[in-house]
Amino acid sequence: MEGSAKVEFWKGQMLELQTIEGVMYKTQIIRQDNNRFYIKKPINRMNRYMSVTNNMSVTVYFHNDERVLYSFDTQIYLRHNQLSFHAPSVDRIKKAQRRRFFRVPVEVELNLNLKSIEHADEDEFVKMTTKDISGGGLSFLCDFALETEKLIAGIMYLETNNYQNTIEFHGKIVNCTRLPENNYKISLEFVHMKESIRSDIIKYCLFKQVEARNKLKNYSL
């Protein structure tokens, strides 16, 4: 592995898988059994599950405790409807050459202006709560549909034990999926965002991921 940073894996850790076609899916470690990690069925941002075949080649992306992004190549093992991969050896792990945004499941208060950015002088704010957040966007549940490609503005409030950060953003609706409960899951991609603001969001996401890990540190995988 490049550098001397410590790398660990844990139950509940968020991962991203990239197929040989370049499609990204998110997943999570469920447990470890000997030298193998078992994961949830990967899903993409369109809420479509990965079609997995045995010995399917993928690239795995993950962050370590120092918030450095690493990757390694592996094969997904499919048996008895369970997905797993071998724990990578240290020499197979390398720093990722491109930036990836992890979606972290977290509930954060949102104020969204549902008037399009083109009508920024008009206000139609509604309160929502996120389902997940990343440096690239977020998702939330809504009891009505929103048109894909629509540009909207919003404010979200990121709070930890040490600080509270108010983030103003513009976003584009990239997906609107109807759920069985007769509501919708809306996925939004940040647009026209300054990198300093994006860095604040990424810092918060990584903080929440480490926080979740620490809550589980007394439990074995």
Side-chain angles (χ1 to χ4, degrees):
M1 185 182 69
E2 300 176 9
S4 58
K6 184 179 180 181
V7 171
E8 291 184 283
F9 296 92
W10 63 90
K11 179 180 179 180
Q13 184 178 12
M14 302 296 295
L15 308 172
E16 283 196 328
L17 309 183
Q18 184 178 35
T19 66
I20 58 175
E21 294 82 15
V23 182
M24 299 299 302
Y25 294 82
K26 61 181 178 179
T27 186
Q28 200 169 13
I29 294 177
I30 300 173
R31 62 186 174 89
Q32 181 181 7
D33 187 2
N34 295 322
N35 200 37
R36 185 175 291 277
F37 292 103
Y38 289 82
I39 59 174
K40 291 183 177 180
K41 191 170 185 180
I43 190 171
N44 66 14
R45 73 176 190 173
M46 306 298 288
N47 296 315
R48 294 172 182 165
Y49 287 108
M50 178 190 286
S51 178
V52 180
T53 57
N54 197 31
N55 296 323
M56 180 178 180
S57 296
V58 297
T59 300
V60 178
Y61 291 88
F62 68 97
H63 284 99
N64 70 349
D65 280 347
E66 286 72 37
R67 301 173 181 175
V68 178
L69 183 63
Y70 287 96
S71 69
F72 60 91
D73 296 326
T74 190
Q75 291 179 315
I76 299 297
Y77 185 69
L78 173 61
R79 185 176 183 185
H80 303 311
N81 207 31
Q82 292 184 319
L83 303 179
S84 64
F85 60 85
H86 283 294
S89 59
V90 172
D91 61 344
R92 289 173 51 209
I93 299 174
K94 57 187 178 180
K95 283 187 178 180
Q97 296 302 309
R98 63 176 185 155
R99 198 175 191 182
R100 295 300 314 160
F101 299 126
F102 284 73
R103 286 189 178 269
V104 178
V106 62
E107 293 185 351
V108 167
E109 180 183 342
L110 290 175
N111 280 325
L112 297 178
N113 186 352
L114 298 185
K115 290 291 186 180
S116 64
I117 291 176
E118 290 81 358
H119 301 281
D121 56 329
E122 302 177 32
D123 290 341
E124 188 180 323
F125 280 97
V126 295
K127 288 187 176 181
M128 299 288 180
T129 302
T130 63
K131 292 292 289 182
D132 55 53
I133 304 175
S134 79
L138 55 84
S139 72
F140 58 92
L141 297 184
C142 188
D143 57 7
F144 51 87
L146 290 177
E147 182 183 356
T148 57
E149 301 298 318
K150 182 177 182 178
L151 298 175
I152 62 175
I155 303 172
M156 62 179 169
Y157 305 93
L158 308 182
E159 185 173 358
T160 71
N161 294 332
N162 299 319
Y163 68 87
Q164 180 172 333
N165 197 355
T166 300
I167 303 291
E168 297 185 18
F169 63 88
H170 289 160
K172 178 174 69 175
I173 305 301
V174 294
N175 192 40
C176 178
T177 303
R178 186 166 187 171
L179 302 177
E181 300 83 3
N182 291 322
N183 54 10
Y184 298 84
K185 182 179 179 181
I186 311 295
S187 296
L188 175 149
E189 178 183 354
F190 298 135
V191 297
H192 313 309
M193 177 169 280
K194 293 181 178 179
E195 286 306 306
S196 59
I197 296 177
R198 193 187 306 277
S199 294
D200 287 340
I201 298 172
I202 294 171
K203 178 181 176 181
Y204 176 80
C205 291
L206 292 170
F207 170 84
K208 298 303 289 186
Q209 184 180 27
V210 172
E211 182 182 65
R213 178 206 177 171
N214 290 339
K215 289 179 181 179
L216 295 167
K217 66 182 179 180
N218 294 324
Y219 296 87
S220 59
L221 288 175

